[in-house]
Amino acid sequence: KAGVTQTPRYLIKTRGQQVTLSCSPISGHRSVSWYQQTPGQGLQFLFEYFSETQRNKGNFPGRFSGRQFSNSRSEMNVSTLELGDSALYLCASSPWGGRDTGELFFGEGSRLTVL
Amino acid sequence: GENVEQHPSTLSVQEGDSAVIKCTYSDSASNYFPWYKQELGKGPQLIIDIRSNVGEKKDQRIAVTLNKTAKHFSLHITETQPEDSAVYFCAARGSQGNLIFGKGTKLSVKP
């Protein structure tokens, strides 16, 4: 079974630009969560999608948004990039998510550098 | 807000020694506590988890203990090996269902 696939793996943007990251979950998994990983803050929860609906959201500004498609693939978008948005963005899938969350299966992440 | 504190941030041990990482959580309603291992260039991977109705769980050289009264849980790795070197994250399930992670412990096992 293929794992969680994230694209692109690396990207460089400049301040003020926007970026879209993509995540393909494990086949059959309906929940996709996104986390931001930085050296100082660890893994911080961005949002969770289940059956195309955002089920849960972390404490990030509105510049961070996401969506999920009918095939469970998910995208996240960051608009008006700031230097502080430089991070590894991790996507994780699970069969059900929410309060039924058991194991999360993480992708290898998309490393975003904002110059 | 909901929070998970993890200590130490770095840990260096000799091969064959034991390693212990400790976490505390703030939400008394949390009922699921996983531990993830992240190797360089990879995403975190679950190594062991424990639910609130259990006090201890073992899987070969890895064990996790949970004290719900004190709201803390620990990861114990015995007979450490160089391949155990990685960053370890503890987590607790928050009231909304999402996992809240600690800031990680970088474990170095010296041969």
Side-chain angles (χ1 to χ4, degrees):
Chain A
K1 213 176 203 182
V4 176
T5 303
Q6 291 188 245
T7 57
R9 290 292 315 279
Y10 303 91
L11 65 167
I12 299 173
K13 294 285 187 178
T14 55
R15 280 179 296 173
Q17 287 187 311
Q18 73 162 13
V19 66
T20 298
L21 309 178
S22 179
C23 172
S24 293
I26 290 173
S27 178
H29 286 193
R30 298 169 64 186
S31 169
V32 172
S33 298
W34 289 89
Y35 286 83
Q36 181 194 64
Q37 184 175 15
T38 57
Q41 297 300 317
L43 281 81
Q44 292 192 290
F45 174 71
L46 282 156
F47 25 65
E48 180 199 358
Y49 286 87
F50 181 84
S51 292
E52 301 178 68
T53 301
Q54 186 182 88
R55 186 155 62 178
N56 197 359
K57 190 177 190 302
N59 295 323
F60 278 81
R63 300 185 296 108
F64 292 80
S65 63
R67 59 178 174 168
Q68 186 180 33
F69 302 95
S70 58
N71 61 358
S72 293
R73 190 178 71 85
S74 177
E75 288 181 349
M76 67 163 282
N77 184 275
V78 188
S79 63
T80 320
L81 284 166
E82 301 176 359
L83 294 178
D85 296 333
S86 294
L88 181 68
Y89 290 87
L90 290 163
C91 166
S93 74
S94 65
W96 297 105
R99 292 206 62 81
D100 297 316
T101 297
E103 180 174 2
L104 290 181
F105 295 83
F106 283 89
E108 294 189 327
S110 292
R111 183 165 295 281
L112 170 65
T113 301
V114 182
L115 302 176
Chain B
E2 298 167 321
N3 190 41
V4 174
E5 299 274 348
Q6 182 172 347
H7 299 280
S9 56
T10 60
L11 179 59
S12 182
V13 300
Q14 285 296 132
E15 183 177 359
D17 287 351
S18 294
V20 180
I21 303 171
K22 299 183 179 182
C23 290
T24 59
Y25 59 97
S26 60
D27 185 357
S28 56
S30 293
N31 61 0
Y32 175 65
F33 308 92
W35 287 87
Y36 283 79
K37 175 183 180 182
Q38 186 175 28
E39 296 177 337
L40 201 61
K42 297 189 176 181
Q45 185 172 14
L46 180 74
I47 55 171
I48 194 166
D49 56 10
I50 191 168
R51 297 184 187 270
S52 57
N53 58 346
V54 175
E56 183 176 0
K57 185 177 178 181
K58 268 187 176 180
D59 183 3
Q60 298 183 335
R61 297 186 295 109
I62 294 173
V64 58
T65 59
L66 171 65
N67 182 327
K68 283 221 75 179
T69 303
K71 291 192 286 186
H72 67 68
F73 55 115
S74 300
L75 177 72
H76 304 253
I77 305 174
T78 59
E79 300 172 24
T80 53
Q81 301 167 4
E83 52 264 39
D84 294 329
S85 295
V87 179
Y88 291 81
F89 292 94
C90 64
R93 179 153 57 200
S95 59
Q96 301 299 317
N98 58 288
L99 291 182
I100 301 165
F101 285 84
K103 293 187 179 180
T105 296
K106 183 176 181 180
L107 173 64
S108 299
V109 180
K110 298 182 178 179

